[in-house]
C-alpha cells in the first residue's frame, strides 16, 4: 500500500535547530559537501544548502518504516518517529554522525522511490551462471529461473551504473561452473549518421547504420544473426551486454546466433543531463568500446584449449565494465575481485602493464583464504611490490561475529565475499548498509553516545525495507537484514576521550608451530570496556526495533568503514586510519569551469593547472589534524606496521561483527615484516590490505606532509570563508554540471563518490 501518513520535519523546528547547533565542518567540509551531495533544485536554479539536504535525507529514511505503510499507523508510532526524525536531523546536521554518502545523495529523492538499490553503497556478486529471477532486468530470450552466464556481469554493470561499488568472486569453484564457450560471435555495432554521437562512435568502432542496413537487405542467410536496438536507458546498456555474453554459450530453448548487431542510434549524446542519478551523459562511446573488448575476450577464450572462461577472463570483463562506467560519467567505479589464493595467474594479472593501464586498474584484487592458510610469503612479496593482493578470510567471516564472542559455527554461513573496501562480509547479491558515527564530535556536542548509536541502528534498519531491484538481493536482505554501524574518527576520539592510543605496548613471544617471534599487543582497558559497551547498545537497539517491526534481527550489526569523503565533511580521521600527517596539504581537483573556483581564488587558496589532466585545476587546502600537537599523536607516516595490525585486530575483536576496513601503510624497511604479521593475525582479522606509504613522492600528490610553520604560513594566505564568498558571488544561484574530481567515499580511493 502507498504511504498515507508521512513524517515531515516542521520548518519551525528546523529554524530553532539552526540557531542552536553549528555543523562541525572540516577544512574541506563545506566545499566537499557542495560539490558532492548538494542536489540541483531546478525550480530555484541552485543546489541545496546543508539543512535542505539533511531534511531530504532524514524524511526519505524515516518514511521507510513499514508501520507507515498501513492504513492507520497509530499515534504512538507517529509520535515516536517524529521525535526520531528530529533527533536524526540534529545529529546529522551537526555532523556528529551521518548515513553513507549514497544516502546523502539519494535519500528522499524520486530516484530512491524508483530504485531502492541506490541507497546502498556497495554490493557483492558471485561470478557464476545464475538465474535473473523476478528482477527489473531479465533478457527476453530467457526464462526467469534459467541460469545464465550473463547474470553476474549484468548485476555488476547495473549496480555500478547506479553509482554503487561491487565486490565479485572469481574463485576457482565459481568460475568452474561456467559451461564451455560453444561459439565465437561476430559483433557489429551500428549508429545512424543522424546521431550527434556519429563521428565519435565511428572512432570507437561503430559503423554507419544506414549503409549496414542496405547490405543486409541483400544478405543470403540471417537465420543465425540477431539485431538489437539499444534503448536509451541503463537497462538497455545492461541488456546489450547480457545478449552479447549469452550468445557465446548454448542455452536451453535459446536459438544460437553467430552474429549480433547492436544499434546505438537511440542513445543520448554526450553532455546531456541525466535526470535520475545526476551528472551528464557520455554518449554511446564507452559502451561501444566495452562491448567490442568483451567480445574479444570471449572469442579468445573459445579458441583456447579448454574453451572456458578463467578467473582472469572474468576479472577482465568486470574491469572493462568498470572502465565503461567511469567513462560513462558515474564518476567513479569501485570493484574488488576476489580470487583463489593458489591462482597465480590471477595474483599476477596486474603485472601486465599494457592491460593494467587499459582496464585492470578498475579493481582492487584480493585472495580468499581460510584460517588454515599459512603460506603468506608469496602474498607478502607481491604486496611489497605492488600493494596487492589483499587478504579476505572467509572462514572467520562465516563462523565469527566479533572475535571476542568466540566461534559460532555457521553464524553467517552463506558469506562468499565482501564489498570493495572489505568492511562488510556479504552473501551472494547482498549489499552493505552503512551509517557512520563520529564519537568525538557527538560528545563535544553533548550527545549521549547510547542515543546516537540507537539512532544509527534504526536508520540503517529502515534501509533494508527499500524496494530492491534484483531478486537475489531481496532474498539476501530479507534473510539477513544486515547493517553496518561504523565508528569513525577513531584515532581522534581515543586521544581526546582517553588521552592515549588503544595499543599501549607489546609483549614478545614465540609461535610454537613455526618458531616465529611475535609481538602480542596490550590494549587499554578503559577503551576496551567503552567500545564493548557501545556494541551492546547497537545490539539491543536492533533487537528492540526488529521486534517493533516484526522482522528478522540483523545477522550482523557493526563495522569500521574506511570513510573518506564523509570524514572530510567533519574534518575527522578516516575510519580507524591514522591521519596522514599532523600537518598537510590536501589537493582537490576541480573541472576548470567549476563555479566554486572563483570563490576559492577570492579566499586566497592556491590554485594551479593540474599536471595530469587537461581542463582541470588543482586546489591546495592546508590541513591540521585534530590533536596534531598531542604528545601521543601518531600519523600514517610514523606509526608502526605492528600497531596498525594490532589496532585493526582490536576493533575486529571488540567492535565489528562484520569486518574492519583498513589499509595498513608500511615503510620500505617494514616490508619484511608483512608475512609474519599476516600469519600472526590470521585468526583475528577478516580482511586486510596494505599499501606503501608514499609521502610526497608524486607531483601534486593528493596529500603532502608539511611542517607546522608551512601550515601557518599557508593558513595566513586564506582571508575569507568559501561558503560566504560563494553566496556573495552567485546571489544564491549556482550550477551543478561541474563535478568534483578525485574524491571518494573511501580512504583508499576505491569506493564511489556517492
Amino acid at each position: 500500500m502507498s504511504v498515507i501518513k508521512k513524517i515531515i520535519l516542521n520548518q519551525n523546528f528546523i529554524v530553532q535547530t539552526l540557531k542552536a547547533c553549528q555543523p562541525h565542518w572540516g577544512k574541506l567540509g563545506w566545499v566537499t559537501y557542495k560539490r558532492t551531495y548538494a542536489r540541483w533544485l531546478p525550480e530555484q536554479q541552485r543546489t541545496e544548502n546543508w539543512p535542505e539536504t539533511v531534511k531530504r535525507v532524514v524524511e526519505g529514511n524515516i518514511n521507510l518504516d513499514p508501520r507507515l505503510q498501513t492504513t492507520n499507523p497509530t499515534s504512538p508510532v507517529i509520535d515516536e518517529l517524529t521525535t526520531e526524525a528530529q533527533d536524526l536531523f540534529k545529529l546529522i546536521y551537526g555532523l556528529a554522525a551521518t548515513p553513507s554518502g549514497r544516502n546523502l545523495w539519494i535519500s528522499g529523492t524520486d530516484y530512491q522511490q524508483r530504485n531502492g538499490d541506490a541507497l546502498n553503497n556497495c554490493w557483492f556478486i558471485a561470478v557464476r551462471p545464475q538465474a535473473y529471477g523476478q528482477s527489473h532486468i531479465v533478457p527476453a530470450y530467457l526464462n526467469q529461473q534459467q541460469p545464465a552466464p550473463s547474470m553476474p556481469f549484468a548485476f555488476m554493470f547495473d549496480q555500478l551504473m547506479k553509482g554503487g561499488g561491487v565486490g565479485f568472486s572469481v574463485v576457482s569453484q565459481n568460475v568452474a561452473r561456467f559451461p564451455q564457450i560453444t561459439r565465437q560471435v561476430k559483433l557489429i555495432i551500428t549508429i545512424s549518421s543522424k546521431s550527434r554521437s556519429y563521428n565519435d562512435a565511428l572512432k570507437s568502432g561503430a559503423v554507419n547504420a544506414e549503409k549496414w542496413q542496405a547490405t543486409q537487405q541483400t544478405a543470403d542467410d540471417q537465420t543465425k544473426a540477431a539485431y538489437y536496438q539499444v534503448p536509451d536507458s541503463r537497462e538497455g546498456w545492461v541488456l546489450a551486454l547480457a545478449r552479447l555474453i549469452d550468445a557465446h554459450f548454448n542455452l536451453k530453448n535459446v536459438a544460437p546466433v553467430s552474429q549480433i548487431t547492436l544499434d546505438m542510434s537511440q542513445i543520448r549524446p554526450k553532455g546531456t543531463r541525466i535526470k535520475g542519478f545526476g551528472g551528464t551523459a557520455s554518449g554511446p562511446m564507452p559502451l561501444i568500446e566495452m562491448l567490442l573488448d568483451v567480445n574479444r575476450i570471449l572469442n579468445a577464450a573459445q579458441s583456447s584449449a579448454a574453451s572456458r572462461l578463467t578467473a582472469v577472463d572474468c576479472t577482465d570483463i568486470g574491469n572493462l565494465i568498470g572502465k565503461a562506467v567511469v567513462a560513462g560519467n558515474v564518476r567513479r567505479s569501485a570493484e574488488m575481485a576476489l580470487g583463489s589464493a593458489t591462482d597465480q595467474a590471477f595474483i599476477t594479472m596486474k603485472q601486465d602493464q599494457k592491460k593494467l593501464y587499459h582496464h585492470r586498474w578498475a579493481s582492487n584484487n584480493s585472495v580468499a583464504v581460510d584460517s588454515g592458510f599459512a603460506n603468506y610469503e608469496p602474498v607478502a612479496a607481491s604486496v611489497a611490490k605492488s600493494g596487492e593482493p589483499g587478504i579476505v578470510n572467509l572462514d572467520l567471516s562465516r563462523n565469527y561475529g566479533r572475535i571476542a564472542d568466540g566461534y559460532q559455527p555457521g553464524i553467517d554461513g552463506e558469506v562468499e565475499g565482501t564489498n570493495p573496501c572489505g568492511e562488510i562480509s556479504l552473501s551472494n547479491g547482498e549489499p552493505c548498509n552503512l551509517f557512520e558515527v563520529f564519537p568525538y564530535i557527538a560528545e563535544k556536542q553533548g550527545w549521549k553516545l547510547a542515543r546516537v548509536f540507537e539512532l544509527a541502528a534504526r536508520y540503517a534498519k529502515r534501509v533494508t525495507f527499500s524496494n530492491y531491484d534484483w531478486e537475489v538481493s531481496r532474498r539476501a536482505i530479507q534473510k539477513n537484514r544486515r547493517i553496518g554501524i561504523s565508528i569513525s574518527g577513531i584515532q581522534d576520539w581515543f586521544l581526546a576521550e582517553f588521552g592515549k592510543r588503544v595499543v599501549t605496548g607489546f609483549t614478545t613471544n614465540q609461535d610454537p608451530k613455526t618458531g616465529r617471534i611475535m609481538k602480542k599487543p596490550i590494549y587499554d582497558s578503559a577503551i576496551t570496556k567503552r567500545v564493548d559497551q557501545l556494541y551492546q547498545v547497537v545490539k539491543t537497539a536492533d533487537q528492540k526495533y526488529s521486534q517493533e517491526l516484526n522482522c528478522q534481527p540483523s545477522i550482523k550489526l557493526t563495522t569500521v568503514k574506511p570513510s573518506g569523503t564523509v570524514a572530510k565533511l567533519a574534518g575527522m580521521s578516516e575510519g580507524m586510519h591514522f591521519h596522514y600527517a599532523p600537518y598537510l596539504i590536501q589537493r582537490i581537483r576541480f573541472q576548470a569551469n567549476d563555479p566554486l573556483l572563483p570563490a576559492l581564488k577570492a579566499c586566497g587558496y592556491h590554485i594551479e593547472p593540474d599536471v595530469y589532466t587537461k581542463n582541470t585545476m588543482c586546489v591546495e587546502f592546508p590541513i591540521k589534524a585534530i590533536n596534531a600537537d598531542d604528545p601521543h599523536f601518531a600519523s600514517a607516516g610514523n606509526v608502526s606496521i605492528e600497531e596498525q595490525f594490532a589496532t585493526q585486530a582490536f576493533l575486529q575483536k571488540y567492535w565489528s561483527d562484520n569486518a574492519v576496513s583498513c589499509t595498513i601503510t608500511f615503510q620500505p624497511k617494514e616490508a619484511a615484516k608483512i608475512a609474519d604479521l599476516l600469519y600472526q593475525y590470521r585468526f583475528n582479522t577478516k580482511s586486510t590490505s596494505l599499501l606503501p606509504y608514499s609521502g610526497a613522492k608524486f607531483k601534486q600528490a593528493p596529500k603532502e606532509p608539511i611542517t607546522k610553520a608551512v601550515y601557518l604560513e599557508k593558513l595566513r594566505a586564506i582571508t575569507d570563508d568559501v561558503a560566504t564568498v560563494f553566496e556573495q558571488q552567485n546571489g544564491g544561484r549556482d550550477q551543478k554540471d561541474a563535478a568534483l574530481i578525485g574524491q571518494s567515499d573511501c580512504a583508499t580511493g576505491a569506493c564511489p563518490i556517492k
Side-chain angles (χ1 to χ4, degrees):
M1 296 182 182
S2 61
V3 176
I4 62 166
K5 175 66 178 179
K6 281 194 171 184
I7 306 297
I8 304 295
L9 287 164
N10 182 280
Q11 192 59 34
N12 289 334
F13 158 78
I14 292 175
V15 170
Q16 293 304 313
T17 300
L18 302 194
K19 291 178 181 178
C21 178
Q22 289 295 316
H24 191 280
W25 291 120
K27 289 287 185 184
L28 291 166
W30 183 85
V31 171
T32 301
Y33 154 70
K34 197 66 174 175
R35 303 315 306 146
T36 313
Y37 302 120
R39 296 192 70 91
W40 179 252
L41 302 174
E43 301 84 3
Q44 302 180 49
Q45 288 297 291
R46 63 173 178 84
T47 52
E48 293 172 325
N49 56 43
W50 180 234
E52 290 169 331
T53 298
V54 178
K55 182 177 187 294
R56 165 177 59 76
V57 169
V58 170
E59 290 175 354
N61 175 266
I62 204 77
N63 287 297
L64 289 172
D65 188 301
R67 293 172 296 178
L68 296 177
Q69 317 303 315
T70 64
T71 54
N72 55 344
T74 64
S75 294
V77 166
I78 297 298
D79 293 343
E80 173 195 27
L81 293 177
T82 299
T83 299
E84 185 171 346
Q86 292 174 345
D87 283 353
L88 277 169
F89 183 92
K90 295 174 188 175
L91 185 72
I92 298 169
Y93 176 75
L95 288 168
T98 76
S100 67
R102 292 300 305 285
N103 273 260
L104 289 176
W105 177 242
I106 292 294
S107 182
T109 65
D110 291 340
Y111 193 82
Q112 172 193 342
Q113 301 302 319
R114 296 195 304 272
N115 303 98
D117 288 19
L119 287 176
N120 295 86
N121 273 58
C122 295
W123 304 76
F124 169 78
I125 192 72
V127 179
R128 58 176 179 257
Q130 298 186 46
Y132 282 80
Q134 295 181 351
S135 302
H136 72 308
I137 293 176
V138 182
Y141 53 85
L142 289 175
N143 179 290
Q144 287 181 337
Q145 302 308 318
Q146 180 178 358
S150 65
M151 185 276 187
F153 301 108
F155 180 95
M156 190 186 311
F157 197 12
D158 186 45
Q159 298 299 359
L160 288 170
M161 281 198 288
K162 292 173 189 168
V166 180
F168 59 95
S169 171
V170 292
V171 295
S172 56
Q173 55 265 44
N174 279 330
V175 175
R177 292 171 66 173
F178 281 97
Q180 279 192 313
I181 304 173
T182 53
R183 68 186 65 84
Q184 297 201 0
V185 173
K186 181 180 180 181
L187 174 62
I188 300 168
I189 297 179
T190 63
I191 190 165
S192 170
S193 59
K194 298 177 182 178
S195 169
R196 284 164 51 192
S197 301
Y198 177 72
N199 290 328
D200 287 337
L202 293 188
K203 294 175 185 176
S204 296
V207 299
N208 181 291
E210 291 83 4
K211 290 181 179 178
W212 179 84
Q213 289 284 359
T215 63
Q216 296 311 294
Q217 292 174 7
T218 58
D220 294 328
D221 182 15
Q222 288 298 307
T223 58
K224 292 188 177 181
Y227 175 84
Y228 178 58
Q229 189 167 63
V230 181
D232 185 28
S233 66
R234 170 173 43 82
E235 291 84 357
W237 285 40
V238 173
L239 288 169
L241 175 66
R243 187 69 184 91
L244 174 64
I245 292 173
D246 286 339
H248 289 79
F249 298 87
N250 277 341
L251 299 178
K252 186 177 180 181
N253 299 323
V254 178
V257 295
S258 55
Q259 176 179 306
I260 289 181
T261 301
L262 300 173
D263 183 75
M264 304 287 165
S265 301
Q266 290 186 356
I267 295 178
R268 74 191 76 180
K270 185 177 181 179
T272 308
R273 185 182 292 278
I274 301 172
K275 294 180 180 179
F277 188 78
T280 55
S282 64
M285 289 70 73
L287 179 62
I288 293 169
E289 293 170 8
M290 180 198 74
L291 292 168
L292 290 169
D293 284 337
V294 169
N295 197 52
R296 278 190 279 270
I297 288 173
L298 290 162
N299 283 342
Q302 193 277 333
S303 64
S304 68
S307 294
R308 288 184 179 274
L309 287 170
T310 66
V312 171
D313 293 331
C314 292
T315 305
D316 277 335
I317 293 173
N319 290 169
L320 288 166
I321 291 170
K323 177 187 175 185
V325 170
V326 171
N329 273 340
V330 178
R331 300 185 180 90
R332 188 175 290 270
S333 168
E335 296 181 350
M336 186 181 80
L338 184 63
S340 295
T342 55
D343 188 342
Q344 287 303 306
F346 172 81
I347 291 171
T348 60
M349 64 183 290
K350 285 193 177 183
Q351 294 177 17
D352 185 324
Q353 293 294 303
K354 184 177 179 181
K355 291 181 179 178
L356 173 65
Y357 288 119
H358 184 261
H359 63 272
R360 287 181 177 172
W361 51 263
S363 68
N364 295 327
N365 294 350
S366 293
V367 292
V369 302
D370 59 28
S371 299
F373 182 80
N375 185 24
Y376 285 101
E377 279 74 14
V379 173
S382 181
V383 167
K385 183 176 181 180
S386 64
E388 287 191 349
I391 300 292
V392 176
N393 191 324
L394 296 179
D395 193 21
L396 286 181
S397 297
R398 290 167 181 155
N399 299 302
Y400 286 83
R402 297 188 308 164
I403 302 302
D405 295 328
Y407 180 59
Q408 302 173 71
I411 186 177
D412 205 358
E414 294 183 10
V415 162
E416 294 192 59
T418 77
N419 65 317
C421 290
E423 73 264 32
I424 302 290
S425 314
L426 297 169
S427 62
N428 183 42
E430 193 175 14
C432 60
N433 177 9
L434 306 172
F435 194 100
E436 188 165 359
V437 175
F438 298 104
Y440 171 89
I441 300 174
E443 291 188 323
K444 190 176 178 181
Q445 294 180 347
W447 285 94
K448 292 187 181 300
L449 289 186
R451 177 57 174 165
V452 173
F453 281 98
E454 178 189 30
L455 289 169
R458 291 170 68 94
Y459 185 106
K461 192 76 169 192
R462 283 188 290 271
V463 172
T464 69
F465 289 91
S466 297
N467 179 29
Y468 289 94
D469 292 337
W470 288 82
E471 181 180 311
V472 66
S473 300
R474 291 194 295 272
R475 288 200 306 265
I477 292 163
Q478 288 167 9
K479 179 179 183 295
N480 294 336
R481 300 283 177 194
R482 188 187 308 272
I483 62 176
I485 308 308
S486 176
I487 303 177
S488 201
I490 288 173
Q491 301 305 329
D492 299 328
W493 179 44
F494 285 170
L495 280 184
E497 178 73 10
F498 303 97
K500 61 186 73 173
R501 308 198 296 270
V502 68
V503 179
T504 59
F506 293 89
T507 59
T508 301
N509 56 19
Q510 188 175 39
D511 181 65
K513 288 186 178 180
T514 65
R516 301 175 195 243
I517 302 299
M518 294 188 291
K519 296 169 68 176
K520 184 178 179 182
I522 302 168
Y523 297 129
D524 180 78
S525 59
I527 297 177
T528 300
K529 182 179 179 181
R530 185 66 169 134
V531 169
D532 180 72
Q533 287 173 341
L534 292 175
Y535 175 80
Q536 302 303 332
V537 166
V538 175
K539 186 173 182 179
T540 300
D542 176 72
Q543 290 173 340
K544 180 184 175 186
Y545 198 31
S546 299
Q547 209 168 27
E548 291 175 18
L549 301 182
N550 193 29
C551 72
Q552 187 80 3
S554 296
I555 192 169
K556 285 179 180 172
L557 307 157
T558 51
T559 188
V560 178
K561 67 191 286 281
S563 197
T565 304
V566 172
K568 285 180 176 62
L569 297 183
M572 305 299 293
S573 58
E574 299 163 342
M576 69 147 278
H577 297 99
F578 293 81
H579 284 281
Y580 200 71
Y583 299 91
L584 70 143
I585 294 170
Q586 173 81 60
R587 292 185 177 88
I588 305 295
R589 288 164 168 80
F590 296 81
Q591 291 179 357
N593 64 343
D594 195 296
L596 269 173
L597 287 173
L600 288 163
K601 183 177 181 181
C603 289
Y605 288 92
H606 179 74
I607 304 173
E608 61 186 28
D610 182 52
V611 297
Y612 302 105
T613 310
K614 293 180 179 179
N615 303 315
T616 302
M617 302 302 288
C618 187
V619 183
E620 293 184 357
F621 294 83
I623 304 293
K624 176 186 177 182
I626 294 173
N627 303 316
D629 299 323
D630 189 295
H632 296 288
F633 179 88
S635 70
N638 61 25
V639 68
S640 71
I641 188 174
E642 290 93 345
E643 183 171 347
Q644 292 175 77
F645 266 97
T647 303
Q648 184 187 23
F650 167 81
L651 292 164
Q652 188 70 79
K653 184 173 184 178
Y654 294 108
W655 172 253
S656 178
D657 53 15
N658 281 289
V660 176
S661 179
C662 177
T663 300
I664 291 171
T665 56
F666 61 92
Q667 304 292 342
K669 63 183 180 182
E670 295 179 311
K673 302 178 181 180
I674 293 173
D676 284 350
L677 287 166
L678 287 172
Y679 177 83
Q680 176 181 343
Y681 287 99
R682 70 195 185 281
F683 300 127
N684 303 100
T685 54
K686 297 178 182 178
S687 65
T688 301
S689 61
L690 297 100
L691 204 61
Y693 182 79
S694 61
K697 293 179 181 177
F698 306 104
K699 193 168 185 179
Q700 292 183 342
K703 296 179 179 180
E704 178 184 340
I706 57 176
T707 65
K708 182 176 182 178
V710 171
Y711 165 77
L712 292 173
E713 178 185 347
K714 290 185 174 294
L715 197 63
R716 284 192 290 270
I718 299 170
T719 58
D720 216 330
D721 174 66
V722 180
T724 302
V725 172
F726 181 79
E727 179 73 18
Q728 291 169 350
Q729 289 181 344
N730 293 275
R733 294 171 178 260
D734 57 1
Q735 301 171 7
K736 189 56 180 171
D737 287 331
L740 183 63
I741 300 169
Q743 287 294 286
S744 75
D745 200 34
C746 294
T748 60
C751 278
I753 198 166
K754 298 186 177 82

